[in-house]
Amino acid sequence: MTGGRVAAVDLGATSGRVVLGRVGPDTLEMTTTGRFLNRPVVAAGTLQWDVLSLWRGALDGLAEAFRVAPDIRSIGVDSWGVDYALLRQGRLLANPTHYRDERTTAGMAAVRAHFRPEQLFALAGLQDIPINTVYQLAAEVQGPLLGAADRLLMIPDLMAFWLSGAEVVERTNASTTGLVDVATQEWSARLTNAIGVPAGILPPLVDPGTAVGTLRAEVAAEIGAPAGVQVTTVGSHDTASAVVAVPMDRTHAAYISCGTWGLVGVEVDEPALGADAFAGNFTNERGVDGRVRLLHNVMGLWVLSETTRHWQRDGETIDLPELLRAAAALDAATVPVFDVDDPRFLPPGDMPARIAAWCDEHGLAAPRTRAEFARSIVESLAQAFADAARTAGRIGGVEVETIHIVGGGSLNELLCQRTADRAGLPVLAGPVEATALGNLLVQARATGLIDGSLEDLRALVARTHTPRRHTPRHL
């Protein structure tokens, strides 16, 4: 056998998992040792993340990983961005509030009293979207928890703290907050002071690939790990990890990390802060090795999953593969293309009614059958993906010749093909497990199992994971 072992804790918006990886110069293999649901809960009128359930799932998955491979060298954690936990003396004060909670409306109004959107963009380089941490914290200031807390940690850093005791925030996830100065890549005192974030609550920022400590003794005992197992920061924003594992030539490619959200962009060396990036609502998030992920957040498969959940609430069973086959049999010209980025599609709720209302407001015939709704969603996502990829290339100075789709959305054959058709460019789909692979690769490099540049890591992905090609056809 070649290569060594590392483990990834990968937390998504609907589920989490633990992945055991074996990585070497010509080896990149992974086995899932734990999978668990991520089910947000409403308590006292607030939508919250059940992070203790996620922690329990992570521990169970890690215990199985060490049972299979006692020689694991390192553990790394990635998750979605923007959300945070508040602690006092190492104790969690409350479940983190979900970014889809409606409190962000009040937060946006509070921040607007200090900064216009273009000023925020110049300072932090992020697109103006309600979920950004800066808006959440502006709303948090009005409540009791922020004043009681002495530490703020992003979700993956909370897990790393529980694993190791290290109180740090990794830069790729910090870059989603709107609180990091785009020029210095450190916390912006101008921003934090303006919205009332207490001094000292934000921990030091560290780069991906940093050894932040070893497993706490009690954690090691619970999961059957030997002493000295390292906890390593990765691209802790899941998109940052996913982009590591996109087998692309970044000088001629755009990527789409497609799951609950569709993150569409290009990789560049410097932030794009011009008027065209601001007008296009593009964001400059940090990537591994100091790269910049110039991208646009498209609402993603959330629209489809929330649509099917609404039907299931009525007691119906939805077979998604069968639904997509029925959708693929329809003529695309018979369904409307709607703006998936309309803010009405962000919160949970009756998604079919919202789609119908949007169509009615814009003089379009709304879908009627379930297959028509599914096809309309796919066509609308494909158009949004094609438009964003094209714009990202233009703003970032990248001549896009290929679009790579990674993540769960790469399994959606209809979506991949229609993105190719609408973009007029080939789409390469996969790997599905890009986020976990990127997590494993950064750990493997940090622990000496492999070496090289980001391009070398991508070349390893290309040698071990062959994508599916979708050639554009006439619309």
mmCIF file of all heavy atoms in Angstrom, residues 82 108 112 117-118 120-135 175-178 182 237 261-265 272-273 277-285 293-299 341 388:
data_model
loop_
_atom_site.group_PDB
_atom_site.id
_atom_site.type_symbol
_atom_site.label_atom_id
_atom_site.label_comp_id
_atom_site.label_asym_id
_atom_site.label_seq_id
_atom_site.Cartn_x
_atom_site.Cartn_y
_atom_site.Cartn_z
ATOM 1 N N VAL A 82 -20.306 31.712 6.670
ATOM 2 C CA VAL A 82 -21.064 32.847 7.241
ATOM 3 C C VAL A 82 -21.595 32.633 8.653
ATOM 4 O O VAL A 82 -21.735 33.606 9.401
ATOM 5 C CB VAL A 82 -22.237 33.318 6.328
ATOM 6 C CG1 VAL A 82 -21.745 33.651 4.937
ATOM 7 C CG2 VAL A 82 -23.406 32.365 6.292
ATOM 8 N N MET A 108 -29.247 44.076 8.026
ATOM 9 C CA MET A 108 -28.890 44.856 6.848
ATOM 10 C C MET A 108 -29.225 46.326 7.058
ATOM 11 O O MET A 108 -28.429 47.217 6.723
ATOM 12 C CB MET A 108 -29.611 44.317 5.615
ATOM 13 C CG MET A 108 -29.148 42.949 5.163
ATOM 14 S SD MET A 108 -29.884 42.405 3.601
ATOM 15 C CE MET A 108 -28.867 43.306 2.428
ATOM 16 N N ARG A 112 -26.537 49.445 7.018
ATOM 17 C CA ARG A 112 -26.745 50.528 6.049
ATOM 18 C C ARG A 112 -26.631 51.904 6.699
ATOM 19 O O ARG A 112 -26.363 52.898 6.025
ATOM 20 C CB ARG A 112 -28.116 50.394 5.384
ATOM 21 C CG ARG A 112 -28.271 49.217 4.455
ATOM 22 C CD ARG A 112 -27.526 49.443 3.131
ATOM 23 N NE ARG A 112 -27.871 48.400 2.190
ATOM 24 C CZ ARG A 112 -27.230 47.231 2.088
ATOM 25 N NH1 ARG A 112 -26.197 46.987 2.891
ATOM 26 N NH2 ARG A 112 -27.608 46.335 1.211
ATOM 27 N N PRO A 117 -23.629 49.970 0.304
ATOM 28 C CA PRO A 117 -23.155 48.687 -0.233
ATOM 29 C C PRO A 117 -21.817 48.796 -0.960
ATOM 30 O O PRO A 117 -20.962 47.915 -0.826
ATOM 31 C CB PRO A 117 -24.281 48.278 -1.174
ATOM 32 C CG PRO A 117 -25.500 48.906 -0.594
ATOM 33 C CD PRO A 117 -25.040 50.218 -0.037
ATOM 34 N N GLU A 118 -21.625 49.864 -1.718
ATOM 35 C CA GLU A 118 -20.360 49.993 -2.443
ATOM 36 C C GLU A 118 -19.180 50.214 -1.510
ATOM 37 O O GLU A 118 -18.041 49.824 -1.811
ATOM 38 C CB GLU A 118 -20.443 51.110 -3.486
ATOM 39 C CG GLU A 118 -20.738 52.498 -2.933
ATOM 40 C CD GLU A 118 -22.221 52.799 -2.882
ATOM 41 O OE1 GLU A 118 -23.034 51.859 -2.780
ATOM 42 O OE2 GLU A 118 -22.559 54.002 -2.943
ATOM 43 N N LEU A 120 -18.990 48.842 1.582
ATOM 44 C CA LEU A 120 -18.720 47.508 2.111
ATOM 45 C C LEU A 120 -17.934 46.678 1.116
ATOM 46 O O LEU A 120 -17.011 45.944 1.483
ATOM 47 C CB LEU A 120 -20.032 46.799 2.461
ATOM 48 C CG LEU A 120 -20.684 47.102 3.800
ATOM 49 C CD1 LEU A 120 -21.994 46.345 3.926
ATOM 50 C CD2 LEU A 120 -19.757 46.756 4.957
ATOM 51 N N PHE A 121 -18.301 46.789 -0.152
ATOM 52 C CA PHE A 121 -17.606 46.018 -1.181
ATOM 53 C C PHE A 121 -16.143 46.446 -1.274
ATOM 54 O O PHE A 121 -15.240 45.605 -1.396
ATOM 55 C CB PHE A 121 -18.295 46.196 -2.532
ATOM 56 C CG PHE A 121 -17.692 45.359 -3.628
ATOM 57 C CD1 PHE A 121 -17.884 43.992 -3.659
ATOM 58 C CD2 PHE A 121 -16.922 45.944 -4.628
ATOM 59 C CE1 PHE A 121 -17.319 43.213 -4.656
ATOM 60 C CE2 PHE A 121 -16.364 45.176 -5.637
ATOM 61 C CZ PHE A 121 -16.560 43.806 -5.648
ATOM 62 N N ALA A 122 -15.887 47.734 -1.200
ATOM 63 C CA ALA A 122 -14.511 48.226 -1.263
ATOM 64 C C ALA A 122 -13.690 47.745 -0.068
ATOM 65 O O ALA A 122 -12.489 47.487 -0.191
ATOM 66 C CB ALA A 122 -14.501 49.754 -1.338
ATOM 67 N N LEU A 123 -14.330 47.611 1.085
ATOM 68 C CA LEU A 123 -13.622 47.204 2.294
ATOM 69 C C LEU A 123 -13.392 45.698 2.364
ATOM 70 O O LEU A 123 -12.300 45.240 2.683
ATOM 71 C CB LEU A 123 -14.411 47.642 3.529
ATOM 72 C CG LEU A 123 -14.323 49.112 3.918
ATOM 73 C CD1 LEU A 123 -15.378 49.440 4.973
ATOM 74 C CD2 LEU A 123 -12.929 49.428 4.463
ATOM 75 N N ALA A 124 -14.461 44.927 2.076
ATOM 76 C CA ALA A 124 -14.389 43.481 2.285
ATOM 77 C C ALA A 124 -14.392 42.668 1.005
ATOM 78 O O ALA A 124 -14.051 41.484 1.019
ATOM 79 C CB ALA A 124 -15.552 43.028 3.180
ATOM 80 N N GLY A 125 -14.819 43.270 -0.114
ATOM 81 C CA GLY A 125 -14.788 42.583 -1.395
ATOM 82 C C GLY A 125 -15.866 41.538 -1.587
ATOM 83 O O GLY A 125 -15.765 40.710 -2.490
ATOM 84 N N LEU A 126 -16.917 41.563 -0.748
ATOM 85 C CA LEU A 126 -17.952 40.541 -0.828
ATOM 86 C C LEU A 126 -19.193 41.052 -1.530
ATOM 87 O O LEU A 126 -19.533 42.235 -1.458
ATOM 88 C CB LEU A 126 -18.363 40.067 0.568
ATOM 89 C CG LEU A 126 -17.349 39.295 1.392
ATOM 90 C CD1 LEU A 126 -18.041 38.614 2.555
ATOM 91 C CD2 LEU A 126 -16.579 38.275 0.569
ATOM 92 N N GLN A 127 -19.921 40.121 -2.150
ATOM 93 C CA GLN A 127 -21.183 40.476 -2.753
ATOM 94 C C GLN A 127 -22.189 40.823 -1.663
ATOM 95 O O GLN A 127 -22.092 40.355 -0.519
ATOM 96 C CB GLN A 127 -21.714 39.335 -3.627
ATOM 97 C CG GLN A 127 -22.258 38.142 -2.882
ATOM 98 C CD GLN A 127 -22.725 37.033 -3.814
ATOM 99 O OE1 GLN A 127 -21.999 36.067 -4.032
ATOM 100 N NE2 GLN A 127 -23.906 37.158 -4.361
ATOM 101 N N ASP A 128 -23.153 41.639 -2.009
ATOM 102 C CA ASP A 128 -24.153 42.086 -1.047
ATOM 103 C C ASP A 128 -25.277 41.066 -0.991
ATOM 104 O O ASP A 128 -26.131 41.023 -1.875
ATOM 105 C CB ASP A 128 -24.681 43.468 -1.462
ATOM 106 C CG ASP A 128 -25.448 44.139 -0.337
ATOM 107 O OD1 ASP A 128 -25.024 43.993 0.819
ATOM 108 O OD2 ASP A 128 -26.459 44.804 -0.617
ATOM 109 N N ILE A 129 -25.253 40.246 0.054
ATOM 110 C CA ILE A 129 -26.239 39.175 0.196
ATOM 111 C C ILE A 129 -26.631 39.102 1.670
ATOM 112 O O ILE A 129 -25.766 39.244 2.555
ATOM 113 C CB ILE A 129 -25.656 37.845 -0.335
ATOM 114 C CG1 ILE A 129 -26.709 36.746 -0.370
ATOM 115 C CG2 ILE A 129 -24.434 37.416 0.435
ATOM 116 C CD1 ILE A 129 -26.255 35.504 -1.131
ATOM 117 N N PRO A 130 -27.903 38.927 1.989
ATOM 118 C CA PRO A 130 -28.356 39.046 3.374
ATOM 119 C C PRO A 130 -27.692 38.089 4.356
ATOM 120 O O PRO A 130 -27.637 38.383 5.561
ATOM 121 C CB PRO A 130 -29.862 38.763 3.283
ATOM 122 C CG PRO A 130 -30.240 39.062 1.881
ATOM 123 C CD PRO A 130 -29.040 38.728 1.056
ATOM 124 N N ILE A 131 -27.197 36.951 3.880
ATOM 125 C CA ILE A 131 -26.667 35.937 4.792
ATOM 126 C C ILE A 131 -25.300 36.304 5.368
ATOM 127 O O ILE A 131 -24.848 35.655 6.328
ATOM 128 C CB ILE A 131 -26.580 34.569 4.106
ATOM 129 C CG1 ILE A 131 -25.553 34.580 2.970
ATOM 130 C CG2 ILE A 131 -27.942 34.132 3.596
ATOM 131 C CD1 ILE A 131 -25.341 33.215 2.318
ATOM 132 N N ASN A 132 -24.624 37.307 4.828
ATOM 133 C CA ASN A 132 -23.268 37.615 5.271
ATOM 134 C C ASN A 132 -23.219 37.843 6.783
ATOM 135 O O ASN A 132 -24.115 38.453 7.377
ATOM 136 C CB ASN A 132 -22.731 38.842 4.551
ATOM 137 C CG ASN A 132 -22.418 38.576 3.093
ATOM 138 O OD1 ASN A 132 -22.374 37.424 2.653
ATOM 139 N ND2 ASN A 132 -22.220 39.637 2.326
ATOM 140 N N THR A 133 -22.138 37.390 7.412
ATOM 141 C CA THR A 133 -21.995 37.460 8.860
ATOM 142 C C THR A 133 -22.105 38.888 9.374
ATOM 143 O O THR A 133 -22.622 39.116 10.475
ATOM 144 C CB THR A 133 -20.633 36.872 9.277
ATOM 145 O OG1 THR A 133 -20.401 35.657 8.561
ATOM 146 C CG2 THR A 133 -20.587 36.609 10.765
ATOM 147 N N VAL A 134 -21.622 39.847 8.616
ATOM 148 C CA VAL A 134 -21.677 41.239 9.067
ATOM 149 C C VAL A 134 -23.110 41.650 9.360
ATOM 150 O O VAL A 134 -23.381 42.377 10.331
ATOM 151 C CB VAL A 134 -21.010 42.176 8.029
ATOM 152 C CG1 VAL A 134 -21.737 42.159 6.692
ATOM 153 C CG2 VAL A 134 -20.915 43.598 8.560
ATOM 154 N N TYR A 135 -24.057 41.185 8.557
ATOM 155 C CA TYR A 135 -25.466 41.513 8.792
ATOM 156 C C TYR A 135 -26.021 40.710 9.969
ATOM 157 O O TYR A 135 -26.818 41.219 10.765
ATOM 158 C CB TYR A 135 -26.287 41.238 7.540
ATOM 159 C CG TYR A 135 -25.901 42.109 6.358
ATOM 160 C CD1 TYR A 135 -25.666 41.554 5.107
ATOM 161 C CD2 TYR A 135 -25.765 43.491 6.503
ATOM 162 C CE1 TYR A 135 -25.300 42.346 4.030
ATOM 163 C CE2 TYR A 135 -25.400 44.286 5.427
ATOM 164 C CZ TYR A 135 -25.168 43.711 4.197
ATOM 165 O OH TYR A 135 -24.821 44.504 3.135
ATOM 166 N N SER A 175 -13.267 34.797 5.294
ATOM 167 C CA SER A 175 -13.475 35.691 4.151
ATOM 168 C C SER A 175 -14.925 35.752 3.721
ATOM 169 O O SER A 175 -15.293 36.615 2.916
ATOM 170 C CB SER A 175 -12.592 35.272 2.972
ATOM 171 O OG SER A 175 -13.100 34.104 2.332
ATOM 172 N N THR A 176 -15.777 34.856 4.238
ATOM 173 C CA THR A 176 -17.204 34.916 3.914
ATOM 174 C C THR A 176 -17.977 35.822 4.862
ATOM 175 O O THR A 176 -19.183 36.019 4.676
ATOM 176 C CB THR A 176 -17.847 33.507 3.972
ATOM 177 O OG1 THR A 176 -17.947 33.064 5.330
ATOM 178 C CG2 THR A 176 -17.052 32.504 3.161
ATOM 179 N N THR A 177 -17.317 36.371 5.887
ATOM 180 C CA THR A 177 -18.037 37.104 6.924
ATOM 181 C C THR A 177 -18.370 38.535 6.537
ATOM 182 O O THR A 177 -19.309 39.128 7.069
ATOM 183 C CB THR A 177 -17.219 37.149 8.228
ATOM 184 O OG1 THR A 177 -15.998 37.885 8.001
ATOM 185 C CG2 THR A 177 -16.898 35.750 8.733
ATOM 186 N N GLY A 178 -17.553 39.145 5.668
ATOM 187 C CA GLY A 178 -17.692 40.579 5.427
ATOM 188 C C GLY A 178 -17.011 41.402 6.496
ATOM 189 O O GLY A 178 -17.184 42.630 6.549
ATOM 190 N N VAL A 182 -10.193 43.254 2.787
ATOM 191 C CA VAL A 182 -9.783 42.561 1.580
ATOM 192 C C VAL A 182 -8.330 42.851 1.234
ATOM 193 O O VAL A 182 -7.663 42.043 0.569
ATOM 194 C CB VAL A 182 -10.715 42.925 0.403
ATOM 195 C CG1 VAL A 182 -10.505 44.363 -0.046
ATOM 196 C CG2 VAL A 182 -10.541 41.955 -0.766
ATOM 197 N N HIS A 237 -13.939 26.749 4.530
ATOM 198 C CA HIS A 237 -15.168 26.998 3.799
ATOM 199 C C HIS A 237 -15.278 25.894 2.761
ATOM 200 O O HIS A 237 -14.360 25.675 1.970
ATOM 201 C CB HIS A 237 -15.156 28.364 3.126
ATOM 202 C CG HIS A 237 -16.448 28.694 2.459
ATOM 203 N ND1 HIS A 237 -16.524 29.426 1.299
ATOM 204 C CD2 HIS A 237 -17.720 28.374 2.777
ATOM 205 C CE1 HIS A 237 -17.799 29.553 0.944
ATOM 206 N NE2 HIS A 237 -18.535 28.918 1.821
ATOM 207 N N TRP A 261 -26.187 25.500 -2.516
ATOM 208 C CA TRP A 261 -25.867 26.706 -3.287
ATOM 209 C C TRP A 261 -25.110 26.306 -4.546
ATOM 210 O O TRP A 261 -24.470 25.248 -4.592
ATOM 211 C CB TRP A 261 -25.006 27.668 -2.460
ATOM 212 C CG TRP A 261 -25.736 28.329 -1.344
ATOM 213 C CD1 TRP A 261 -25.894 27.864 -0.066
ATOM 214 C CD2 TRP A 261 -26.431 29.583 -1.385
ATOM 215 N NE1 TRP A 261 -26.638 28.739 0.675
ATOM 216 C CE2 TRP A 261 -26.984 29.815 -0.105
ATOM 217 C CE3 TRP A 261 -26.640 30.536 -2.383
ATOM 218 C CZ2 TRP A 261 -27.729 30.949 0.205
ATOM 219 C CZ3 TRP A 261 -27.378 31.676 -2.071
ATOM 220 C CH2 TRP A 261 -27.918 31.866 -0.794
ATOM 221 N N GLY A 262 -25.139 27.183 -5.535
ATOM 222 C CA GLY A 262 -24.308 27.011 -6.716
ATOM 223 C C GLY A 262 -23.293 28.140 -6.732
ATOM 224 O O GLY A 262 -23.642 29.297 -6.962
ATOM 225 N N LEU A 263 -22.042 27.821 -6.408
ATOM 226 C CA LEU A 263 -20.981 28.825 -6.357
ATOM 227 C C LEU A 263 -20.260 28.811 -7.692
ATOM 228 O O LEU A 263 -19.564 27.841 -8.018
ATOM 229 C CB LEU A 263 -20.011 28.546 -5.210
ATOM 230 C CG LEU A 263 -20.522 28.645 -3.774
ATOM 231 C CD1 LEU A 263 -21.241 29.953 -3.518
ATOM 232 C CD2 LEU A 263 -21.377 27.471 -3.375
ATOM 233 N N VAL A 264 -20.421 29.874 -8.460
ATOM 234 C CA VAL A 264 -19.963 29.912 -9.849
ATOM 235 C C VAL A 264 -18.864 30.959 -9.971
ATOM 236 O O VAL A 264 -19.092 32.142 -9.671
ATOM 237 C CB VAL A 264 -21.117 30.272 -10.803
ATOM 238 C CG1 VAL A 264 -20.663 30.146 -12.253
ATOM 239 C CG2 VAL A 264 -22.344 29.409 -10.537
ATOM 240 N N GLY A 265 -17.680 30.551 -10.417
ATOM 241 C CA GLY A 265 -16.621 31.540 -10.502
ATOM 242 C C GLY A 265 -15.377 31.066 -11.198
ATOM 243 O O GLY A 265 -15.342 30.002 -11.834
ATOM 244 N N ALA A 272 -10.969 41.251 -7.416
ATOM 245 C CA ALA A 272 -11.555 42.131 -8.432
ATOM 246 C C ALA A 272 -12.517 43.066 -7.716
ATOM 247 O O ALA A 272 -13.566 42.638 -7.227
ATOM 248 C CB ALA A 272 -12.284 41.312 -9.488
ATOM 249 N N LEU A 273 -12.154 44.342 -7.641
ATOM 250 C CA LEU A 273 -12.911 45.307 -6.845
ATOM 251 C C LEU A 273 -13.484 46.435 -7.694
ATOM 252 O O LEU A 273 -13.907 47.460 -7.160
ATOM 253 C CB LEU A 273 -12.017 45.893 -5.743
ATOM 254 C CG LEU A 273 -11.434 44.871 -4.753
ATOM 255 C CD1 LEU A 273 -10.441 45.543 -3.819
ATOM 256 C CD2 LEU A 273 -12.540 44.190 -3.956
ATOM 257 N N ALA A 277 -17.476 44.251 -11.067
ATOM 258 C CA ALA A 277 -17.636 43.196 -10.063
ATOM 259 C C ALA A 277 -18.723 43.568 -9.058
ATOM 260 O O ALA A 277 -19.538 42.729 -8.661
ATOM 261 C CB ALA A 277 -16.319 42.950 -9.348
ATOM 262 N N PHE A 278 -18.753 44.833 -8.653
ATOM 263 C CA PHE A 278 -19.791 45.280 -7.720
ATOM 264 C C PHE A 278 -21.168 45.213 -8.367
ATOM 265 O O PHE A 278 -22.130 44.698 -7.762
ATOM 266 C CB PHE A 278 -19.502 46.701 -7.249
ATOM 267 C CG PHE A 278 -20.593 47.291 -6.401
ATOM 268 C CD1 PHE A 278 -20.811 46.831 -5.114
ATOM 269 C CD2 PHE A 278 -21.424 48.285 -6.899
ATOM 270 C CE1 PHE A 278 -21.831 47.365 -4.329
ATOM 271 C CE2 PHE A 278 -22.443 48.823 -6.131
ATOM 272 C CZ PHE A 278 -22.649 48.362 -4.840
ATOM 273 N N ALA A 279 -21.269 45.691 -9.595
ATOM 274 C CA ALA A 279 -22.561 45.692 -10.286
ATOM 275 C C ALA A 279 -23.064 44.274 -10.523
ATOM 276 O O ALA A 279 -24.271 44.012 -10.475
ATOM 277 C CB ALA A 279 -22.449 46.441 -11.611
ATOM 278 N N GLY A 280 -22.160 43.337 -10.765
ATOM 279 C CA GLY A 280 -22.537 41.954 -10.996
ATOM 280 C C GLY A 280 -22.759 41.158 -9.721
ATOM 281 O O GLY A 280 -23.075 39.983 -9.775
ATOM 282 N N ASN A 281 -22.589 41.829 -8.567
ATOM 283 C CA ASN A 281 -22.752 41.188 -7.259
ATOM 284 C C ASN A 281 -21.842 39.970 -7.129
ATOM 285 O O ASN A 281 -22.267 38.891 -6.699
ATOM 286 C CB ASN A 281 -24.208 40.815 -6.998
ATOM 287 C CG ASN A 281 -24.577 40.913 -5.527
ATOM 288 O OD1 ASN A 281 -23.858 41.518 -4.737
ATOM 289 N ND2 ASN A 281 -25.698 40.325 -5.149
ATOM 290 N N PHE A 282 -20.570 40.182 -7.496
ATOM 291 C CA PHE A 282 -19.570 39.137 -7.346
ATOM 292 C C PHE A 282 -18.844 39.286 -6.023
ATOM 293 O O PHE A 282 -18.821 40.358 -5.423
ATOM 294 C CB PHE A 282 -18.580 39.160 -8.510
ATOM 295 C CG PHE A 282 -19.034 38.320 -9.665
ATOM 296 C CD1 PHE A 282 -20.081 38.742 -10.472
ATOM 297 C CD2 PHE A 282 -18.455 37.095 -9.916
ATOM 298 C CE1 PHE A 282 -20.527 37.960 -11.519
ATOM 299 C CE2 PHE A 282 -18.897 36.295 -10.964
ATOM 300 C CZ PHE A 282 -19.929 36.737 -11.764
ATOM 301 N N THR A 283 -18.276 38.185 -5.574
ATOM 302 C CA THR A 283 -17.603 38.172 -4.278
ATOM 303 C C THR A 283 -16.173 37.696 -4.444
ATOM 304 O O THR A 283 -15.865 36.889 -5.328
ATOM 305 C CB THR A 283 -18.376 37.266 -3.297
ATOM 306 O OG1 THR A 283 -17.971 37.547 -1.967
ATOM 307 C CG2 THR A 283 -18.176 35.800 -3.599
ATOM 308 N N ASN A 284 -15.291 38.205 -3.597
ATOM 309 C CA ASN A 284 -13.886 37.811 -3.582
ATOM 310 C C ASN A 284 -13.618 37.061 -2.281
ATOM 311 O O ASN A 284 -13.400 37.683 -1.237
ATOM 312 C CB ASN A 284 -12.979 39.037 -3.660
ATOM 313 C CG ASN A 284 -13.121 39.796 -4.953
ATOM 314 O OD1 ASN A 284 -12.446 39.499 -5.941
ATOM 315 N ND2 ASN A 284 -13.984 40.806 -4.965
ATOM 316 N N GLU A 285 -13.668 35.755 -2.334
ATOM 317 C CA GLU A 285 -13.392 34.950 -1.153
ATOM 318 C C GLU A 285 -12.021 34.317 -1.286
ATOM 319 O O GLU A 285 -11.545 34.051 -2.389
ATOM 320 C CB GLU A 285 -14.481 33.887 -0.971
ATOM 321 C CG GLU A 285 -15.859 34.497 -0.699
ATOM 322 C CD GLU A 285 -16.970 33.469 -0.661
ATOM 323 O OE1 GLU A 285 -16.689 32.263 -0.828
ATOM 324 O OE2 GLU A 285 -18.133 33.874 -0.475
ATOM 325 N N ARG A 293 -11.096 33.345 -4.873
ATOM 326 C CA ARG A 293 -12.246 32.739 -5.548
ATOM 327 C C ARG A 293 -13.208 33.874 -5.922
ATOM 328 O O ARG A 293 -13.960 34.364 -5.087
ATOM 329 C CB ARG A 293 -12.933 31.727 -4.632
ATOM 330 C CG ARG A 293 -12.073 30.527 -4.321
ATOM 331 C CD ARG A 293 -12.728 29.562 -3.337
ATOM 332 N NE ARG A 293 -12.746 30.105 -1.985
ATOM 333 C CZ ARG A 293 -13.837 30.283 -1.265
ATOM 334 N NH1 ARG A 293 -15.028 29.987 -1.753
ATOM 335 N NH2 ARG A 293 -13.760 30.754 -0.037
ATOM 336 N N LEU A 294 -13.124 34.299 -7.165
ATOM 337 C CA LEU A 294 -14.024 35.336 -7.680
ATOM 338 C C LEU A 294 -15.288 34.624 -8.142
ATOM 339 O O LEU A 294 -15.274 33.920 -9.152
ATOM 340 C CB LEU A 294 -13.360 36.088 -8.827
ATOM 341 C CG LEU A 294 -14.233 37.135 -9.534
ATOM 342 C CD1 LEU A 294 -14.608 38.271 -8.596
ATOM 343 C CD2 LEU A 294 -13.508 37.675 -10.768
ATOM 344 N N LEU A 295 -16.373 34.788 -7.416
ATOM 345 C CA LEU A 295 -17.545 33.978 -7.708
ATOM 346 C C LEU A 295 -18.833 34.712 -7.395
ATOM 347 O O LEU A 295 -18.855 35.752 -6.742
ATOM 348 C CB LEU A 295 -17.482 32.658 -6.924
ATOM 349 C CG LEU A 295 -17.420 32.711 -5.396
ATOM 350 C CD1 LEU A 295 -18.811 32.794 -4.773
ATOM 351 C CD2 LEU A 295 -16.679 31.496 -4.848
ATOM 352 N N HIS A 296 -19.913 34.118 -7.888
ATOM 353 C CA HIS A 296 -21.263 34.606 -7.613
ATOM 354 C C HIS A 296 -22.063 33.475 -6.994
ATOM 355 O O HIS A 296 -22.009 32.339 -7.457
ATOM 356 C CB HIS A 296 -21.930 35.076 -8.909
ATOM 357 C CG HIS A 296 -23.339 35.561 -8.725
ATOM 358 N ND1 HIS A 296 -23.635 36.749 -8.104
ATOM 359 C CD2 HIS A 296 -24.535 35.013 -9.067
ATOM 360 C CE1 HIS A 296 -24.951 36.922 -8.081
ATOM 361 N NE2 HIS A 296 -25.510 35.874 -8.651
ATOM 362 N N ASN A 297 -22.780 33.781 -5.914
ATOM 363 C CA ASN A 297 -23.652 32.790 -5.269
ATOM 364 C C ASN A 297 -24.961 32.705 -6.023
ATOM 365 O O ASN A 297 -25.733 33.664 -6.039
ATOM 366 C CB ASN A 297 -23.949 33.201 -3.825
ATOM 367 C CG ASN A 297 -22.808 32.898 -2.879
ATOM 368 O OD1 ASN A 297 -22.266 31.809 -2.888
ATOM 369 N ND2 ASN A 297 -22.436 33.866 -2.073
ATOM 370 N N VAL A 298 -25.221 31.563 -6.629
ATOM 371 C CA VAL A 298 -26.523 31.289 -7.237
ATOM 372 C C VAL A 298 -27.305 30.433 -6.251
ATOM 373 O O VAL A 298 -26.725 29.606 -5.537
ATOM 374 C CB VAL A 298 -26.351 30.571 -8.596
ATOM 375 C CG1 VAL A 298 -27.709 30.192 -9.189
ATOM 376 C CG2 VAL A 298 -25.580 31.468 -9.564
ATOM 377 N N MET A 299 -28.610 30.591 -6.199
ATOM 378 C CA MET A 299 -29.412 29.951 -5.162
ATOM 379 C C MET A 299 -29.227 28.436 -5.120
ATOM 380 O O MET A 299 -29.324 27.826 -4.073
ATOM 381 C CB MET A 299 -30.888 30.300 -5.368
ATOM 382 C CG MET A 299 -31.710 30.191 -4.109
ATOM 383 S SD MET A 299 -31.287 31.407 -2.835
ATOM 384 C CE MET A 299 -31.984 32.916 -3.499
ATOM 385 N N ASP A 341 -32.170 33.866 -8.323
ATOM 386 C CA ASP A 341 -31.527 34.667 -7.291
ATOM 387 C C ASP A 341 -32.466 35.689 -6.654
ATOM 388 O O ASP A 341 -32.034 36.481 -5.809
ATOM 389 C CB ASP A 341 -30.310 35.392 -7.871
ATOM 390 C CG ASP A 341 -29.153 34.443 -8.125
ATOM 391 O OD1 ASP A 341 -29.086 33.398 -7.452
ATOM 392 O OD2 ASP A 341 -28.318 34.736 -9.001
ATOM 393 N N ALA A 388 -23.401 33.439 -15.026
ATOM 394 C CA ALA A 388 -22.402 33.763 -14.010
ATOM 395 C C ALA A 388 -21.011 33.317 -14.436
ATOM 396 O O ALA A 388 -20.018 34.012 -14.182
ATOM 397 C CB ALA A 388 -22.786 33.109 -12.680
#
